[in-house]
PDB file of all heavy atoms in Angstrom:
ATOM      1  N   HIS H 111      52.933 134.005  66.443  1.00 98.00           N
ATOM      2  CA  HIS H 111      52.479 132.623  66.615  1.00 98.00           C
ATOM      3  C   HIS H 111      53.632 131.656  66.926  1.00 98.00           C
ATOM      4  O   HIS H 111      53.513 130.794  67.816  1.00 98.00           O
ATOM      5  CB  HIS H 111      51.766 132.189  65.324  1.00 98.00           C
ATOM      6  CG  HIS H 111      51.230 130.802  65.341  1.00 98.00           C
ATOM      7  ND1 HIS H 111      50.074 130.463  65.999  1.00 98.00           N
ATOM      8  CD2 HIS H 111      51.698 129.651  64.780  1.00 98.00           C
ATOM      9  CE1 HIS H 111      49.851 129.166  65.843  1.00 98.00           C
ATOM     10  NE2 HIS H 111      50.824 128.645  65.112  1.00 98.00           N
ATOM     11  N   HIS H 115      54.549 129.086  70.096  1.00 98.00           N
ATOM     12  CA  HIS H 115      54.959 127.670  70.065  1.00 98.00           C
ATOM     13  C   HIS H 115      56.272 127.481  70.830  1.00 98.00           C
ATOM     14  O   HIS H 115      56.413 126.566  71.637  1.00 98.00           O
ATOM     15  CB  HIS H 115      55.171 127.215  68.615  1.00 98.00           C
ATOM     16  CG  HIS H 115      53.913 126.754  67.937  1.00 98.00           C
ATOM     17  ND1 HIS H 115      53.078 125.799  68.474  1.00 98.00           N
ATOM     18  CD2 HIS H 115      53.355 127.107  66.743  1.00 98.00           C
ATOM     19  CE1 HIS H 115      52.064 125.580  67.638  1.00 98.00           C
ATOM     20  NE2 HIS H 115      52.204 126.368  66.591  1.00 98.00           N
ATOM     21  N   SER H 136      56.155 122.789  62.503  1.00 96.00           N
ATOM     22  CA  SER H 136      54.694 122.893  62.407  1.00 96.00           C
ATOM     23  C   SER H 136      54.272 122.667  60.960  1.00 96.00           C
ATOM     24  O   SER H 136      55.064 122.214  60.140  1.00 96.00           O
ATOM     25  CB  SER H 136      54.246 124.272  62.894  1.00 96.00           C
ATOM     26  OG  SER H 136      54.667 125.246  61.973  1.00 96.00           O
ATOM     27  N   GLY H 137      53.018 123.017  60.668  1.00 95.00           N
ATOM     28  CA  GLY H 137      52.536 122.856  59.308  1.00 95.00           C
ATOM     29  C   GLY H 137      53.115 123.897  58.353  1.00 95.00           C
ATOM     30  O   GLY H 137      53.138 123.698  57.143  1.00 95.00           O
ATOM     31  N   GLY H 138      53.590 125.013  58.900  1.00 95.00           N
ATOM     32  CA  GLY H 138      54.112 126.076  58.046  1.00 95.00           C
ATOM     33  C   GLY H 138      55.593 126.367  58.238  1.00 95.00           C
ATOM     34  O   GLY H 138      56.194 127.097  57.450  1.00 95.00           O
ATOM     35  N   GLY H 163      55.647 119.453  58.734  1.00 98.00           N
ATOM     36  CA  GLY H 163      54.220 119.137  58.901  1.00 98.00           C
ATOM     37  C   GLY H 163      53.505 119.105  57.559  1.00 98.00           C
ATOM     38  O   GLY H 163      52.644 118.251  57.311  1.00 98.00           O
ATOM     39  N   ASP H 167      51.423 116.150  55.787  1.00 97.00           N
ATOM     40  CA  ASP H 167      50.061 116.335  55.267  1.00 97.00           C
ATOM     41  C   ASP H 167      49.948 115.905  53.803  1.00 97.00           C
ATOM     42  O   ASP H 167      48.987 115.244  53.405  1.00 97.00           O
ATOM     43  CB  ASP H 167      49.618 117.797  55.423  1.00 97.00           C
ATOM     44  CG  ASP H 167      49.524 118.213  56.883  1.00 97.00           C
ATOM     45  OD1 ASP H 167      49.424 117.309  57.743  1.00 97.00           O
ATOM     46  OD2 ASP H 167      49.564 119.422  57.170  1.00 97.00           O
ATOM     47  N   GLY H 180      49.816 114.242  59.778  1.00 98.00           N
ATOM     48  CA  GLY H 180      50.804 113.812  60.781  1.00 98.00           C
ATOM     49  C   GLY H 180      50.327 112.694  61.694  1.00 98.00           C
ATOM     50  O   GLY H 180      50.914 111.596  61.701  1.00 98.00           O
ATOM     51  N   PRO H 181      49.246 112.918  62.448  1.00 98.00           N
ATOM     52  CA  PRO H 181      48.807 111.867  63.367  1.00 98.00           C
ATOM     53  C   PRO H 181      48.374 110.590  62.652  1.00 98.00           C
ATOM     54  O   PRO H 181      48.562 109.496  63.182  1.00 98.00           O
ATOM     55  CB  PRO H 181      47.605 112.497  64.097  1.00 98.00           C
ATOM     56  CG  PRO H 181      47.500 113.901  63.651  1.00 98.00           C
ATOM     57  CD  PRO H 181      48.490 114.166  62.583  1.00 98.00           C
ATOM     58  N   GLY H 274      53.197 121.572  65.891  1.00 96.00           N
ATOM     59  CA  GLY H 274      52.394 120.361  65.715  1.00 96.00           C
ATOM     60  C   GLY H 274      53.179 119.062  65.603  1.00 96.00           C
ATOM     61  O   GLY H 274      52.817 118.060  66.218  1.00 96.00           O
ATOM     62  N   ASN H 278      54.742 114.184  67.659  1.00 98.00           N
ATOM     63  CA  ASN H 278      55.084 112.864  67.130  1.00 98.00           C
ATOM     64  C   ASN H 278      55.897 112.059  68.145  1.00 98.00           C
ATOM     65  O   ASN H 278      56.998 112.451  68.539  1.00 98.00           O
ATOM     66  CB  ASN H 278      55.868 113.030  65.815  1.00 98.00           C
ATOM     67  CG  ASN H 278      56.091 111.705  65.133  1.00 98.00           C
ATOM     68  OD1 ASN H 278      56.972 110.945  65.496  1.00 98.00           O
ATOM     69  ND2 ASN H 278      55.255 111.415  64.141  1.00 98.00           N
ATOM     70  N   THR H 305      50.153 121.435  69.224  1.00 96.00           N
ATOM     71  CA  THR H 305      49.434 122.058  68.110  1.00 96.00           C
ATOM     72  C   THR H 305      48.894 123.424  68.594  1.00 96.00           C
ATOM     73  O   THR H 305      49.066 123.796  69.752  1.00 96.00           O
ATOM     74  CB  THR H 305      48.296 121.138  67.628  1.00 96.00           C
ATOM     75  OG1 THR H 305      47.650 120.595  68.765  1.00 96.00           O
ATOM     76  CG2 THR H 305      48.837 119.985  66.804  1.00 96.00           C
ATOM     77  N   ASP H 306      48.230 124.139  67.687  1.00 97.00           N
ATOM     78  CA  ASP H 306      47.818 125.514  67.991  1.00 97.00           C
ATOM     79  C   ASP H 306      46.880 125.578  69.203  1.00 97.00           C
ATOM     80  O   ASP H 306      45.989 124.745  69.353  1.00 97.00           O
ATOM     81  CB  ASP H 306      47.132 126.122  66.764  1.00 97.00           C
ATOM     82  CG  ASP H 306      48.110 126.249  65.612  1.00 97.00           C
ATOM     83  OD1 ASP H 306      49.321 126.106  65.838  1.00 97.00           O
ATOM     84  OD2 ASP H 306      47.651 126.496  64.482  1.00 97.00           O
TER      85      ASP H 306
HETATM   86  O1  KG4 R   1      51.460 123.878  64.978  1.00 61.03           O
HETATM   87  P1  KG4 R   1      50.336 123.363  64.198  1.00 61.03           P
HETATM   88  O2  KG4 R   1      49.093 122.925  64.943  1.00 61.03           O
HETATM   89  O3  KG4 R   1      49.838 124.395  63.137  1.00 61.03           O
HETATM   90  C1  KG4 R   1      50.719 125.248  62.459  1.00 61.03           C
HETATM   91  O4  KG4 R   1      51.113 126.275  63.053  1.00 61.03           O
HETATM   92  O5  KG4 R   1      51.059 124.855  61.322  1.00 61.03           O
HETATM   93  O6  KG4 R   1      50.893 122.131  63.327  1.00 61.03           O
HETATM   94  C2  KG4 R   1      50.078 121.370  62.499  1.00 61.03           C
HETATM   95  C3  KG4 R   1      50.948 120.320  61.803  1.00 61.03           C
HETATM   96  C4  KG4 R   1      50.199 119.550  60.732  1.00 61.03           C
HETATM   97  O7  KG4 R   1      50.982 119.563  59.563  1.00 61.03           O
HETATM   98  C5  KG4 R   1      50.077 118.140  61.309  1.00 61.03           C
HETATM   99  O8  KG4 R   1      50.072 117.117  60.321  1.00 61.03           O
HETATM  100  C6  KG4 R   1      51.306 118.062  62.190  1.00 61.03           C
HETATM  101  O9  KG4 R   1      51.406 119.347  62.765  1.00 61.03           O
HETATM  102  N1  KG4 R   1      51.170 117.041  63.243  1.00 61.03           N
HETATM  103  C7  KG4 R   1      51.946 115.935  63.325  1.00 61.03           C
HETATM  104  C8  KG4 R   1      51.472 115.187  64.436  1.00 61.03           C
HETATM  105  N2  KG4 R   1      50.436 115.882  65.003  1.00 61.03           N
HETATM  106  C9  KG4 R   1      50.273 117.020  64.261  1.00 61.03           C
HETATM  107  N3  KG4 R   1      52.964 115.512  62.558  1.00 61.03           N
HETATM  108  C10 KG4 R   1      53.541 114.322  62.868  1.00 61.03           C
HETATM  109  N4  KG4 R   1      53.134 113.549  63.898  1.00 61.03           N
HETATM  110  C11 KG4 R   1      52.115 113.935  64.711  1.00 61.03           C
HETATM  111  N5  KG4 R   1      51.737 113.150  65.730  1.00 61.03           N
END
Side-chain angles (χ1 to χ4, degrees):
H111 181 77
H115 274 307
S136 69
D167 296 340
N278 187 280
T305 42
D306 295 347

